[in-house]
Amino acid sequence: MPLPFLTAEYPDGEDDADAALPHDDPDRWRRPYRPGPWRVASAAVLLLVSSFMLLATMIVAFAGAWAGASACLAAALAVIGSALRMLRAGVWVSRTGLRRVSFFATRSIPWAEVGEVRTVQQPVRWLGLPRTVQGQALTVAAPDGATASAPVLLTDHSADFLSRTEAFDRAAGIVEAWAEEYRAVPA
């Protein structure tokens, strides 16, 4: 089942790895890749847990304990919000720049502040945990060449690309193509 609100949909219905702009409106923020199975599975488990929490909310409400029902409802809504935020996390691109959405924060970088987008070999976090392994990362360098404050955009050991190196290569290529196309063009 296609989920167009989660990813960039290609006009012909197929993945075209060579297309840097897989949609008609480059002004909209789009994720140029599909969420990975680890991210989708984690969100599905959270939504399953929230359904049981909503059932508990209904049972507690029918029992007449309104304070307990509202606490259960608030907890269930927090779990649903967490699942949706987890699905939304990733790298998004538009004509105006890059946007890195994490679970707690969002950082946007205009194309004018992007010097180079490149794939490098470096230690990366495994599924976002503190453990690091050697892998590939898509990084952003400032126009003056400094990479100290720039975030790592994608890694091949993240929840989207673990055990899917060809998907990582395709996503990195698409983000690099967006950078090439819009870095020189004023927004």
Side-chain angles (χ1 to χ4, degrees):
M1 173 175 77
L3 302 173
F5 60 91
L6 292 177
T7 181
E9 288 297 316
Y10 295 92
D12 58 357
E14 296 180 10
D15 288 346
D16 186 6
D18 298 328
L21 301 173
H23 52 81
D24 294 333
D25 188 10
D27 291 327
R28 292 181 54 198
W29 288 101
R30 295 288 178 117
R31 183 188 348 227
Y33 58 91
R34 288 187 167 82
W38 287 91
R39 184 175 307 280
V40 173
S42 300
V45 168
L46 283 177
L47 290 174
L48 181 66
V49 168
S50 70
S51 69
F52 288 117
M53 293 172 78
L54 289 171
L55 182 65
T57 300
M58 184 182 67
I59 292 170
V60 171
F62 284 149
W66 295 105
S70 14
C72 287
L73 180 62
L77 291 177
V79 171
I80 291 170
S82 297
L84 293 177
R85 185 65 181 182
M86 186 183 307
L87 283 174
R88 190 156 170 74
V91 173
W92 297 70
V93 291
S94 79
R95 183 180 299 190
T96 58
L98 279 172
R99 180 173 285 173
R100 176 148 186 343
V101 179
S102 65
F103 189 78
F104 292 111
T106 299
R107 181 176 177 187
S108 296
I109 305 170
W111 290 120
E113 295 178 14
V114 173
E116 182 180 14
V117 177
R118 64 176 176 235
T119 304
V120 295
Q121 289 282 334
Q122 69 180 34
V124 296
R125 294 170 65 176
W126 183 75
L127 287 177
L129 298 172
R131 177 178 180 230
T132 60
V133 294
Q134 189 66 24
Q136 293 184 15
L138 184 69
T139 60
V140 175
D144 59 2
T147 59
S149 64
V152 172
L153 299 176
L154 302 171
T155 67
D156 63 344
H157 286 80
S158 69
D160 290 322
F161 303 110
L162 188 63
S163 300
R164 297 178 42 209
T165 55
E166 58 280 340
F168 172 78
D169 293 337
R170 185 172 49 238
I174 291 174
V175 173
E176 289 170 357
W178 274 80
E180 288 297 319
E181 182 152 350
Y182 287 113
R183 263 191 322 209
V185 178

